[in-house]
Amino acid sequence: MIILNGGSSSGKSGIVRCLQSVLPDPWLAFGCDGFVDALPAGTLASDEGIVFGADGGVSVGVEFRVLEAAWMEGVVAMARAGARVIIDDVFLGGAASQERWRRALGGLGVLWVGVRCEGAVAAGREVARGDRTVGMAVAQAGVVHEGVRYDVEVDTTRAESMVCARVIAARVG
Amino acid sequence: MIILNGGSSSGKSGIVRCLQSVLPDPWLAFGCDGFVDALPAGTLASDEGIVFGADGGVSVGVEFRVLEAAWMEGVVAMARAGARVIIDDVFLGGAASQERWRRALGGLGVLWVGVRCEGAVAAGREVARGDRTVGMAVAQAGVVHEGVRYDVEVDTTRAESMVCARVIAARVG
Amino acid sequence: MIILNGGSSSGKSGIVRCLQSVLPDPWLAFGCDGFVDALPAGTLASDEGIVFGADGGVSVGVEFRVLEAAWMEGVVAMARAGARVIIDDVFLGGAASQERWRRALGGLGVLWVGVRCEGAVAAGREVARGDRTVGMAVAQAGVVHEGVRYDVEVDTTRAESMVCARVIAARVG
Amino acid sequence: MIILNGGSSSGKSGIVRCLQSVLPDPWLAFGCDGFVDALPAGTLASDEGIVFGADGGVSVGVEFRVLEAAWMEGVVAMARAGARVIIDDVFLGGAASQERWRRALGGLGVLWVGVRCEGAVAAGREVARGDRTVGMAVAQAGVVHEGVRYDVEVDTTRAESMVCARVIAARVG
């Protein structure tokens, strides 16, 4: 199992697709975006669920955390059942988020990957992609890495997704 | 856990969103489309993976089945961990597909839902949505239900998604 | 040129794709959604531009109207240049919106098509599609048709997109 | 009017969104992708229309050219009607494509922008974005610029979309 953590517009999804392309075995890719899509529309924009602010802030409630914990157990179960799994996530709680994954993992082996990108550059890419609220990239660029420990770190500020993927792939297997 | 089975363009996704809206508790929704999106691009269009033919035919190989089995175990694990989970799937193998889910479920309770739609009507909706290969709807309309046993069946040929969702919701909890 | 008018979630886009499929000649399809996508992100959510309210209300400002007028002239120019063009639009201003198209058309021939759908049914489809703010369908179901004159009208409340498309196609050419 | 030309995955769309963000006036953005979306499904994959090959090759037929010419006249008409318009296009025919635009423009002023990206880098981004047939980026990287004359050129191989947009914006107005 590989878990990538990075802020919004840091380039996680692109790295994941490149990783799937360069790794010789088939890896399944899931991420926090897919989990949010699985939530009922009513849970989005609810204080109990997840709220995306107009300024790019994101806050989550108890209901979100309960469902997220079940989702984490499920993707770990896929790995235990024999699938190779890549996760891309945004550790809004920094070290506390990593700890939640650790609990779900039990003793299962994982490669922790930090995906960094300078806030100003990520903010420009946020405008360029056009499908994210402006402000998320800067708000998350630093905070998601606070207290998190990685096996490997990449920085997309100046490196292409494919180059980052090759660095990570060299640490797999 | 709720598992919906129906052919392409039979209206499963719409029913799922309506179900999430009418059910009082939050339910997570996953489906075979999301699983296919999680596969590496190289597994799509590979004989070992899944091939979408130009005529609407779909064939899957060994690699697909192995990863799918792990995915099934994972979503069942989410339900065991306390999440309410709705699955929408296309039982390309009919009864054999249902049996695969039964094995993954262990003894976990599930509501089996059949989503039917006359082939000709589904074919028209396939043209109207514009994002599916023409031919899938007709090819799958009947075969996915062969030998499958349901707790409740809905038919979208003449009933709206919301109406079908209310019928299903009445059978939940 | 064919211009379809109907409220949000009344089924215009599906009818357009079916029309393109059943008409023997190639028709280009453009719509107000495409025009909104062409606007700068800053014009969305600006009083001068277009604001999508959380309750499903939509209001447009002067800047929007000026750019829309230029867009209308442009799509009419495509038709004058020999292309067959289908437009799907939401006449938020009812008869006044139709008048704006008439001015842009000059004397160019057009088939005016009304796409009706009962508000309650459109509201259910709005939930089912999951990508529109709930409330738009009901808010627009009636008002967009006020004072508008049509050559042909279809009602998607009980008729499939493909059936409606055949009714319209019978009036073309 | 601003016309950007560059190969697939060279970063045109991102630059356009950044341009819309940094330019003080509102600019409408249209592109060849939007034109292709406006075509009937039957025109895609037809020799008369446009065929996207499995190897990334793209070929267009007579019907495509006729409709494209009408589309070009239409977007130029939007500019003549007072709208500021940005176009992003892929000059599959190089200088001949530019000549087609020149004919449509009549004497209307335009800023010609070349968007370059080294083929190998564009190919990596093609894998990272995951929604384009692999091979298009390399096939188009050079050929689209053959014989084309520009007012300003940017290279996304090492420069961010936002940086390129600022270079272009400095040449506007």
Side-chain angles (χ1 to χ4, degrees), chain C residues 4-125:
Chain C
L4 282 79
N5 172 45
S8 185
S9 293
S10 64
K12 299 180 299 298
S13 304
I15 293 175
V16 169
R17 278 187 284 263
C18 290
L19 263 175
Q20 289 184 299
S21 166
V22 300
L23 288 167
D25 292 307
W27 288 71
L28 293 176
F30 297 99
C32 56
D33 284 357
F35 169 65
V36 169
D37 287 344
L39 293 169
T43 301
L44 303 171
S46 141
D47 285 348
E48 292 296 293
I50 180 165
V51 179
F52 292 91
D55 62 350
V58 180
S59 62
V60 303
V62 171
E63 188 174 289
F64 182 93
R65 285 291 177 223
V66 169
L67 293 171
E68 185 193 43
W71 174 74
M72 285 173 165
E73 287 202 37
V75 295
V76 170
M78 292 179 203
R80 285 194 191 285
R84 294 169 183 89
V85 178
I86 308 173
I87 298 293
D88 76 271
D89 199 0
V90 180
F91 289 3
L92 292 174
S97 299
Q98 187 173 35
E99 186 54 32
R100 270 193 288 274
W101 274 111
R102 273 212 190 89
R103 266 197 303 269
L105 286 161
L108 193 73
V110 65
L111 184 78
W112 297 101
V113 181
V115 180
R116 295 184 184 269
C117 183
E118 286 175 16
V121 169
R125 293 178 189 170

Side-chain angles (χ1 to χ4, degrees), chain C residues 122-133:
Chain C
R125 293 178 189 170
E126 187 173 63
V127 172
R129 66 193 288 191
D131 59 352
R132 288 294 184 282
T133 305

Side-chain angles (χ1 to χ4, degrees), chain A:
Chain A
M1 200 157 163
I2 306 172
I3 299 182
L4 281 78
N5 172 46
S8 185
S9 293
S10 64
K12 297 179 300 297
S13 304
I15 293 175
V16 168
R17 279 187 283 265
C18 289
L19 263 175
Q20 289 184 299
S21 166
V22 301
L23 288 167
D25 293 307
W27 286 72
L28 294 176
F30 298 99
C32 55
D33 283 358
F35 170 65
V36 169
D37 287 344
L39 293 169
T43 301
L44 303 171
S46 140
D47 285 349
E48 292 296 293
I50 180 165
V51 180
F52 292 91
D55 62 349
V58 180
S59 62
V60 303
V62 171
E63 188 174 290
F64 181 93
R65 285 290 177 225
V66 168
L67 292 171
E68 185 193 43
W71 173 73
M72 285 172 166
E73 286 202 37
V75 296
V76 169
M78 293 179 204
R80 285 195 191 284
R84 293 168 184 89
V85 177
I86 308 174
I87 298 293
D88 76 271
D89 200 0
V90 180
F91 288 3
L92 292 174
S97 300
Q98 186 172 36
E99 186 52 34
R100 272 193 287 273
W101 273 111
R102 273 211 191 89
R103 268 196 301 267
L105 285 161
L108 193 75
V110 63
L111 184 79
W112 297 101
V113 180
V115 180
R116 296 184 183 271
C117 183
E118 285 175 16
V121 168
R125 293 178 189 169
E126 187 173 63
V127 172
R129 67 192 291 189
D131 60 353
R132 288 295 185 282
T133 305
V134 171
M136 287 178 72
V138 165
Q140 298 176 2
V143 71
V144 301
H145 298 291
E146 276 174 21
V148 181
R149 313 245 309 249
Y150 298 112
D151 297 305
V152 54
E153 294 187 52
V154 293
D155 190 326
T156 66
T157 311
R158 265 161 230 102
E160 295 290 314
S161 299
M162 186 56 89
V163 173
C164 296
R166 290 192 197 283
V167 169
I168 300 165
R171 296 292 302 271
V172 175

Side-chain angles (χ1 to χ4, degrees), chain B residues 13-15 17-18 21 121 123-125 127-131 156-157 160-162, chain C residues 13-15 17-18 21 121 123-125 127-131 156-157 160-162:
Chain B
S13 303
I15 293 175
R17 278 187 284 264
C18 289
S21 166
V121 168
R125 293 178 189 168
V127 171
R129 67 193 290 190
D131 60 352
T156 66
T157 310
E160 294 290 313
S161 299
M162 186 56 91
Chain C
S13 304
I15 293 175
R17 278 187 284 263
C18 290
S21 166
V121 169
R125 293 178 189 170
V127 172
R129 66 193 288 191
D131 59 352
T156 66
T157 311
E160 294 290 313
S161 298
M162 186 58 87

Side-chain angles (χ1 to χ4, degrees), chain D:
Chain D
M1 199 156 163
I2 306 173
I3 300 181
L4 282 79
N5 172 45
S8 185
S9 293
S10 64
K12 298 179 299 297
S13 304
I15 292 175
V16 169
R17 279 187 284 264
C18 289
L19 263 175
Q20 288 184 299
S21 166
V22 300
L23 288 167
D25 294 306
W27 287 71
L28 294 177
F30 297 98
C32 53
D33 284 357
F35 169 65
V36 169
D37 287 344
L39 293 169
T43 301
L44 303 171
S46 139
D47 285 349
E48 292 296 294
I50 180 166
V51 179
F52 292 91
D55 62 349
V58 180
S59 62
V60 303
V62 171
E63 188 175 289
F64 181 93
R65 284 293 176 220
V66 168
L67 293 170
E68 184 193 44
W71 173 74
M72 286 174 166
E73 286 202 38
V75 296
V76 169
M78 293 179 202
R80 284 194 192 286
R84 293 168 183 88
V85 177
I86 308 174
I87 298 293
D88 76 270
D89 199 0
V90 180
F91 289 4
L92 293 173
S97 300
Q98 186 173 35
E99 187 53 34
R100 271 192 288 272
W101 274 110
R102 273 211 191 91
R103 266 197 303 267
L105 286 160
L108 193 75
V110 64
L111 185 77
W112 297 101
V113 180
V115 180
R116 295 184 183 270
C117 183
E118 285 175 16
V121 168
R125 292 178 189 168
E126 187 173 64
V127 172
R129 68 192 288 191
D131 60 353
R132 287 296 185 281
T133 305
V134 171
M136 288 178 71
V138 165
Q140 298 176 3
V143 71
V144 301
H145 298 292
E146 276 175 20
V148 181
R149 315 248 306 249
Y150 298 112
D151 296 304
V152 55
E153 293 186 54
V154 293
D155 190 326
T156 66
T157 311
R158 265 159 230 99
E160 294 290 312
S161 298
M162 186 57 89
V163 173
C164 296
R166 291 192 198 283
V167 169
I168 300 164
R171 297 290 303 270
V172 175

